[in-house]
Amino acid sequence: MIILGIESSCDETAVAIVENGSTVLSNSIASTKEVFANSGGVVPEDAARRQVECILPTLHAALHDANMKAKDIDAIAVTRGPGLLGSLLVGTVTARTLSVLWKKPLIGVHHTFGHLSSTWLSADSIPQFPCITLSASGGHTDIWYRTAHTKGQLLGRTRDDAAGEAFDKGASMLGLPYPGGPSIAKAAESGNEKAFNLPIALSGEDTLDCSFSGLKTALKNTIRDEVRSAKCELRVCDLAASYQYAICAQLVDRLKRACAQYPDVQEVHIVGGVSANIRLRDLAQEAVRNLRVRTPVEIRLCTDNAAMIAAAGFFIHRECEAGSTTNFETAATIPLDAFIS
Ligand code: KG4
Ligand code: ZN
């Protein structure tokens, strides 16, 4: 089954064509990251305007790269939320229009369910359930125990900021460009992560939740103290490395605990923009030695993309075909209200 996916929840305009939830036939992304590099984050109105400009060229590029026409597409999947309203409208209106014009079924996909499906794309082997999945991006940080694509239990989530948001805000405090994850990771390469002892939140509590607001404050206070006392320049690389370590160590601590609670787990998956972080991947693999830690096979499949939406659409569609319901939204037995923060 060939699905055309559309993702426009934030500042990326993405269209992709994926076969059977795993083979990526094209994956076209127009990013506006450079537009927001110096503004510390995404400006919703500007993001929506860029979506309007980019959606049709991106759609054409996806069809061209896959060498396909409308007649080759079996269904259309689109991110239905959560996200920035103006940006989402561009993708959903486009998808609805194509669905009517091309007479193809339309599948609404929750953005996070897209990320959860991203480890199936171009995978070297079929991922195994049950798995523990950490999904960490700029908008959410969730830990799931999953027994099937749309069956699972939310074990923990952030109580305040998302992990990606913590990277973005930390970068802004350190004077590094948006998005913060890649710029902190780059600065951290030449820093010492033991230089500053930043807190790992909730490590003494019996919980799989996360929290990053205290860490953010600790970074702010550390920068203030450094600036006051420093005889030389602010040690940005050491601060970036220590801050990155504190975020990753917290996420890995929760992953490790989740695995200990579910001994039948076959694999650990890390998805979402933060899964691009190499230090996080290394720490996670060290922590759960006997389990395979799977991440999306390419960095562009970690951050927002439409291939993951097409894959998720395929899994939802397959479940509907096999099951009792024809309502694509309620087909997902992962409680969708659990995603809404
Ligand atoms: O999944 P995503 O593209 O968009 C949302 O759904 O939010 O995630 C974007 C987030 C940003 O906060 C960005 O700073 C973070 O992912 N990110 C990273 C890295 N690359 C992107 N965080 C840590 N390390 C990275 N290499
Ligand atoms: Zn995302």
Side-chain angles (χ1 to χ4, degrees):
M1 179 176 199
I2 293 179
I3 299 194
L4 180 135
I6 299 179
E7 151 63 36
S8 74
S9 62
C10 190
D11 56 338
E12 264 104 8
T13 312
V15 183
I17 301 176
V18 174
E19 186 168 13
N20 295 336
S22 59
T23 307
V24 182
L25 302 175
S26 67
N27 187 16
S28 182
I29 306 178
S31 175
T32 54
K33 292 276 182 273
E34 69 289 352
V35 176
F36 301 115
N38 297 316
S39 54
V42 175
V43 181
E45 174 70 14
D46 294 346
R49 285 174 191 277
R50 286 280 301 192
Q51 294 281 358
V52 173
E53 284 166 22
C54 294
I55 190 73
L56 290 181
T58 312
L59 171 65
H60 287 137
L63 286 165
H64 174 270
D65 294 351
N67 195 20
M68 287 190 163
K69 297 205 167 13
K71 66 174 173 45
D72 304 311
I73 306 296
D74 296 311
I76 294 161
V78 64
T79 304
R80 61 178 172 79
L84 302 174
L85 185 63
S87 292
L88 280 167
L89 273 171
V90 177
T92 50
V93 168
T94 305
R96 278 172 199 274
T97 308
L98 292 178
S99 157
V100 171
L101 275 178
W102 294 354
K103 299 186 176 59
K104 311 285 178 185
L106 179 64
I107 308 164
V109 176
H110 193 286
H111 182 78
T112 305
F113 187 53
H115 281 301
L116 296 187
S117 306
S118 61
T119 29
W120 270 258
L121 293 165
S122 311
D124 57 6
S125 59
I126 299 172
Q128 299 299 305
F129 292 112
C131 62
I132 295 286
T133 305
L134 164 67
S135 185
S137 79
H140 70 277
T141 301
D142 300 331
I143 296 186
W144 292 92
Y145 170 75
R146 296 163 69 208
T147 51
H149 283 285
T150 59
K151 290 190 179 64
Q153 197 185 336
L154 183 63
L155 303 178
R157 63 188 332 191
T158 182
R159 294 183 184 175
D160 38 58
D161 291 345
E165 198 180 351
F167 273 108
D168 295 337
K169 290 180 177 165
S172 165
M173 285 186 237
L174 290 168
L176 298 169
Y178 175 85
S183 44
I184 286 195
K186 189 156 193 328
E189 281 170 20
S190 27
N192 170 12
E193 68 183 18
K194 303 231 175 330
F196 297 92
N197 190 13
L198 296 171
I200 294 169
L202 306 176
S203 48
E205 277 187 40
D206 182 20
T207 180
L208 293 173
D209 283 349
C210 295
S211 166
F212 298 100
S213 60
L215 173 62
K216 229 173 40 189
T217 308
L219 177 67
K220 192 170 153 205
N221 293 341
T222 309
I223 293 172
R224 184 200 57 206
D225 296 347
E226 279 280 291
V227 169
R228 269 194 203 145
S229 66
K231 295 172 187 63
C232 49
E233 276 184 23
L234 189 65
R235 291 180 285 159
V236 172
C237 295
D238 286 346
L239 282 163
S242 306
Y243 187 69
Q244 172 178 258
Y245 177 77
I247 295 174
C248 297
Q250 183 183 164
L251 294 172
V252 168
D253 175 70
R254 300 312 113 89
L255 265 181
K256 199 175 168 183
R257 282 193 222 173
C259 292
Q261 285 180 21
Y262 291 88
D264 60 341
V265 158
Q266 301 293 311
E267 296 183 355
V268 171
H269 293 203
I270 309 179
V271 299
V274 177
S275 68
N277 191 281
I278 303 299
R279 190 69 184 117
L280 173 64
R281 294 175 178 201
D282 290 347
L283 285 170
Q285 191 61 74
E286 264 172 45
V288 294
R289 267 176 213 287
N290 52 336
L291 293 170
R292 175 172 179 177
V293 175
R294 224 183 247 275
T295 49
V297 299
E298 287 177 55
I299 296 297
R300 65 194 311 232
L301 295 173
C302 298
T303 47
D304 288 351
N305 66 87
M308 68 184 195
I309 302 302
F314 172 76
F315 298 126
I316 293 171
H317 187 272
R318 193 172 62 179
E319 181 150 312
C320 288
E321 294 274 288
S324 51
T325 174
T326 54
N327 180 332
F328 293 124
E329 297 205 351
T330 55
T333 55
I334 285 180
L336 292 177
D337 58 352
F339 288 125
I340 299 162
S341 50

